[in-house]
Amino acid sequence: MTSLHRPRVRRRSLGAMTAALGLAAALLVAGPAAATPDPGDHPSAAREMSSNQKADTRAAIRNGEIPGVDEVVHSDNVRPLANLPKQALQGTNSDLAFQGKYAFAGNYDGFVIYDISRPAAPRTVSQVLCPGSQNDISVSGNLLFLSTDSSRSDNSCASTTQPATEKSSWEGIKVFDISDKKHPRYVAAVETACGSHTHTLLPEGRNVYVYVSSYAPSAAFPDCRPPHDGISVVKVPRAAPEKAAVIDFPVLFPDGGNPGGPTNPGVSQTTGCHDITTFPKLKLAAGACMGDGILMDLSDPAAPKVIDRVQDNVNFAFWHSATFNERGNKVVFTDELGGGVAATCNEKTGPDRGADGIYDITGKGSHRKLVFKSYYKIPRHQADTENCVAHNGSLIPARNRDLMVQAWYQGGVSVWDFTDSAHPKEIGYFERGPLSTDSLVTGGAWSAYYYNGHVYSNDIAKGFDILALDDRRTDSANSVRLRELNAQTQPDYR
């Protein structure tokens, strides 16, 4: 039976009561609208297209250049197994995490836990109502972490929207106990500077270190004033998560980072990081930080140290995320041109913008350097009504190859090979046709990750997708079994 949970209403603090009792998730009974908290922030409204753009989209469908509205197409080596549409949580679907037979799916209105023990027949275990975009999600042991990067009235799951200009507003990290997957318990919250757009785990024995990425400060925001040139480091004791706290705010850009325009037209000014990927085995991390890409040494988990930094002021507009290859001698950075709500997978934008940048890592220790090799972008043009740009993905742990599966919003899911850093190529795909031929409606695959033999994707509008791969180049990955996967915490696959 599917249950929808909402942790009991709280006011401002997760203080002594939380430490003693935690927050039990209570069954939410249907009732008047006032019983439901305000939803998390949502993407911009649909944008009406010009008559020429509408005509071009319809002509592309008639000519077979793109699929029809909601039509599913895929390569021969990718097969859709299942789709679970959104249910109680109707907000924007966001990131994914995995543990054992479960998938954990973020949604701007909370999160969903799925049982994926039978990939062709997944089922919903629980849905937790806890609004606050983006609800970026990860898991470690019995703990689940959520990012709140929308200004809320308090840290409870019954909060409402409130301007960031008000000192009492709250943004940050929420922690749940998921030892009972049917009844997650909200156990801790930590407010962080400028909120938490995303977060990344560096798990250790007794503690989980959480690197919190946030950006866009303003002198008008009491809890998010410039300069904001670093990340928050949160330490969460596994045995006492209610004691979670910010332990440091390392400054990663002492010079302020990329100034953006007008010095570098079309490039985002660096005012923090968007996302970080850690590689615990190698004590290494890669940061995608708006106008900069960085490589960090994690020898001291509480004090990450930048050892190299790169910019691309020609083709990268917004450094969004990072993925290491299995040996840790390459990094794929993504550029989220247009913020994920624009149509950039087209001839006009070209193959090098809104793409992935592939970098080799050379040298050793603190002398390691990021060396640019090439760009990768899906080879299938999309309509002007389809938001499309490089987004979240993960490695496919095939032997002796560097393979990746990646979400491209309405560009769908791409499977691609970057074994030759200078000549990447797509080897498979799955996508749906546009949501509309008249308006640019935000949708498509937010995340696409490979986990224990299958590809899982969280589609912003269409729900939870599960795909099968049938390709000799990926077959060796089928034997790799992980107990847990947070794609931004690079696993040791071997």
Side-chain angles (χ1 to χ4, degrees), residues 71-92:
E71 180 186 359
V72 172
V73 296
H74 53 89
S75 56
D76 291 342
N77 58 352
V78 177
R79 179 166 47 94
L81 287 181
N83 170 264
L84 284 180
K86 289 193 285 190
Q87 300 167 53
L89 304 181
Q90 288 295 305
T92 296

Side-chain angles (χ1 to χ4, degrees), residues 101-165:
K101 66 177 185 177
Y102 298 102
F104 304 82
N107 178 286
Y108 279 33
D109 290 340
F111 66 93
V112 183
I113 302 178
Y114 297 107
D115 182 332
I116 55 172
S117 54
R118 297 173 59 207
R123 63 181 184 86
T124 303
V125 177
S126 57
Q127 301 181 73
V128 175
L129 180 65
C130 197
S133 70
Q134 302 181 124
N135 275 336
D136 191 52
I137 192 168
S138 57
V139 294
S140 183
N142 287 331
L143 300 179
L144 179 147
F145 304 85
L146 282 184
S147 282
T148 300
D149 192 33
S150 59
S151 187
R152 312 295 296 179
S153 57
D154 56 45
N155 61 18
S156 77
C157 286
S159 67
T160 57
T161 55
Q162 182 168 289
T165 52

Side-chain angles (χ1 to χ4, degrees), residues 394-441:
S394 76
L395 285 187
I396 300 172
R399 293 189 187 92
N400 303 317
R401 289 181 181 271
D402 294 325
L403 303 179
M404 188 170 173
V405 60
Q406 185 178 8
W408 288 78
Y409 289 112
Q410 287 195 68
V413 174
S414 177
V415 181
W416 60 286
D417 187 328
F418 62 106
T419 306
D420 181 347
S421 301
H423 300 94
K425 60 183 180 181
E426 183 172 81
I427 63 172
Y429 70 90
F430 164 88
E431 70 166 299
R432 292 181 172 90
L435 290 169
S436 170
T437 59
D438 297 329
S439 304
L440 199 165
V441 182

Side-chain angles (χ1 to χ4, degrees), residues 342-367:
T344 70
C345 297
N346 49 37
E347 186 176 4
K348 177 182 177 182
T349 305
D352 297 339
R353 302 185 68 235
D356 297 314
I358 302 166
Y359 287 75
D360 283 355
I361 300 175
T362 63
K364 296 181 179 180
S366 60
H367 299 291

